[in-house]
Amino acid sequence: MTAFVLVCAILAIMNGKRKVHERLMTTAIGLSVVFLIMYVAYHMTADSTKFGGEGFVRYVYFFLLISHILLSIAVIPLVLITYVRALAERFDRHKKIARITFPIWLYVAVTGVIVYLMISPYYVN
């Protein structure tokens, strides 16, 4: 969902719809915060799940998982800085860092779903 909202926000700003862009980006931040709270709460109360895939798919999974984790940590301050610059109406500086923040945030949003889909068959009921 966050990835979809991010893409819609970029399309909005590309079409000159600044207010729509602002609302969508605020929504994307809200969705990310809610997801993070739910993710942490779940993993504090549930056992770990081991990935059961073998062969090449195992390497793909761990590459996606590790890059997702590292970039999800790195994107937090980037999102905050980007957002604050927009709120301060420093759009020149906002645009400059947004060019870095957006692809990382989109990657994190998409790979999170992929990693989940790859490990979900191994969840124990």
Side-chain angles (χ1 to χ4, degrees), residues 11 34 77 90 107 116:
L11 293 173
V34 169
R90 295 294 315 265
Y107 178 85
Y116 171 77

Side-chain angles (χ1 to χ4, degrees), residues 25-94:
M25 293 309 291
T26 302
T27 300
I29 290 171
L31 288 170
S32 295
V33 168
V34 169
F35 170 79
L36 182 59
I37 291 167
M38 291 172 35
Y39 178 85
V40 169
Y42 172 79
H43 284 284
M44 288 176 66
T45 60
D47 294 330
S48 294
T49 300
K50 292 189 185 272
F51 182 71
E54 297 176 1
F56 181 71
V57 72
R58 187 170 182 82
Y59 294 107
V60 170
Y61 171 78
F62 281 108
F63 173 80
L64 290 174
L65 177 63
I66 292 166
S67 64
H68 171 80
I69 291 168
L70 294 175
L71 290 172
S72 68
I73 294 165
V75 81
I76 293 170
L78 290 171
V79 167
L80 294 174
I81 292 166
T82 306
Y83 192 65
V84 167
R85 287 181 179 178
L87 290 176
E89 297 185 4
R90 295 294 315 265
F91 297 118
D92 55 329
R93 297 179 76 204
H94 166 78

Side-chain angles (χ1 to χ4, degrees), residues 10 21 25 78 81-83 85 91-105:
I10 291 304
H21 172 75
M25 293 309 291
L78 290 171
I81 292 166
T82 306
Y83 192 65
R85 287 181 179 178
F91 297 118
D92 55 329
R93 297 179 76 204
H94 166 78
K95 187 175 179 179
K96 195 173 195 178
I97 195 168
R99 291 175 190 263
I100 298 165
T101 304
F102 172 74
I104 295 171
W105 195 0

Side-chain angles (χ1 to χ4, degrees), residues 1-15 17-32 79 83 102 105:
M1 180 58 101
T2 301
F4 177 75
V5 173
L6 286 171
V7 170
C8 289
I10 291 304
L11 293 173
I13 200 63
M14 290 172 69
N15 289 310
K17 298 177 181 178
R18 193 174 67 109
K19 203 66 180 166
V20 172
H21 172 75
E22 180 183 340
R23 288 185 189 125
L24 288 168
M25 293 309 291
T26 302
T27 300
I29 290 171
L31 288 170
S32 295
V79 167
Y83 192 65
F102 172 74
W105 195 0

